[in-house]
Amino acid sequence: MRGVRFSDAFRGREAMAKDPVCGMMVDEKRAAATAVYQGTTYYFCAQMCKRAFEQTPEKYTAKR
């Protein structure tokens, strides 16, 4: 399973994921950072969001 993922309606479209910290949509191939938590990959718009996630991942994954 790969983070919060939105299915692609058409072939060839970039896979997008929602940054769990700020909510911004991130192109999985161009994400500024990624982190794996409990077997799930999360994608981030910036290193700052990744750092916040790594400090308290439960805060951002409990909503799921």
Side-chain angles (χ1 to χ4, degrees):
M1 190 171 185
R2 301 173 71 190
V4 180
R5 183 167 176 145
F6 295 83
S7 63
D8 298 323
F10 306 100
R11 287 185 182 176
R13 292 189 81 180
E14 297 299 321
M16 300 296 284
K18 187 174 182 180
D19 182 320
V21 176
C22 71
M24 182 176 179
M25 294 305 296
V26 179
D27 179 337
E28 291 180 4
K29 292 181 181 178
R30 296 181 180 156
T34 62
V36 177
Y37 178 69
Q38 294 185 342
T40 300
T41 302
Y42 294 88
Y43 299 85
F44 303 94
C45 67
Q47 288 291 331
M48 185 173 67
C49 285
K50 178 184 178 183
R51 284 191 294 274
F53 178 85
E54 289 177 330
Q55 289 177 350
T56 54
E58 310 81 28
K59 176 179 175 180
Y60 302 104
T61 58
K63 299 175 192 174
R64 300 178 70 205

